[in-house]
Amino acid sequence: MPTHSIMPGRHQAHEGPGPVSRTGHVRTDEATARWTWAVPVTGGLVFGLYAVFLAHDNGFSELTGWMLGLVAAVVSMGLGYFLIHERNQMIAEVRAAAFGAFFGVCMGFLRSLVDASVLRSVGMGLIFGLCMGLVSYYVFYWHEH
């Protein structure tokens, strides 16, 4: 005879919203610790080198292009590391907004290097940021629920 889902011993308590893991423990193994710094460093290097490429392609001098790329790489590495390191302290909505804003600012900055107007750069940054925020929220929501 089938039993109802609220019968004792048959029901698992639903965890509430938030950054609590579903397994009851947070992974702190070496692989997790390694990618929390490897992903921002790799992303920052790629971002910085692409900024150098765009700067050289659009009339910046050699030194100015490399300095711009270095600053862009260091800033994006630092912000990326902070976002990944503190992601478990944020609820899904705030985390998605943070990742969307970070991605939108990066894409708007790259767009500004190709001699686009400020309005067009801001518009592209907003579009990319909103898309990234929505996709991030979808992924975070389904991962937690």
Side-chain angles (χ1 to χ4, degrees), residues 14-18 22 92 137 139-145:
H14 173 68
E15 294 180 15
R22 300 188 85 185
Y137 179 70
V139 169
F140 298 149
Y141 180 81
W142 281 107
H143 179 70
E144 290 177 1
H145 294 58

Side-chain angles (χ1 to χ4, degrees), residues 81-121:
Y81 177 77
F82 176 76
L83 281 177
I84 289 179
H85 190 263
E86 298 296 323
R87 74 188 181 282
N88 291 332
Q89 308 300 322
M90 297 182 255
I91 60 174
E93 293 85 0
V94 174
R95 194 174 348 148
F99 278 97
F102 178 61
F103 188 72
V105 167
C106 288
M107 292 300 108
F109 173 71
L110 289 178
R111 179 68 179 167
S112 72
L113 292 178
V114 295
D115 290 334
S117 68
V118 173
L119 186 60
R120 189 166 289 188
S121 299

Side-chain angles (χ1 to χ4, degrees), residues 27-38 81 87:
R27 288 181 21 180
T28 57
D29 58 351
E30 178 122 359
T32 303
R34 185 176 310 125
W35 76 265
T36 56
W37 64 264
Y81 177 77
R87 74 188 181 282

Side-chain angles (χ1 to χ4, degrees), residues 123-139:
M124 291 298 280
L126 279 174
I127 290 170
F128 276 106
L130 286 174
C131 291
M132 179 65 160
L134 290 173
V135 170
S136 297
Y137 179 70
Y138 177 77
V139 169

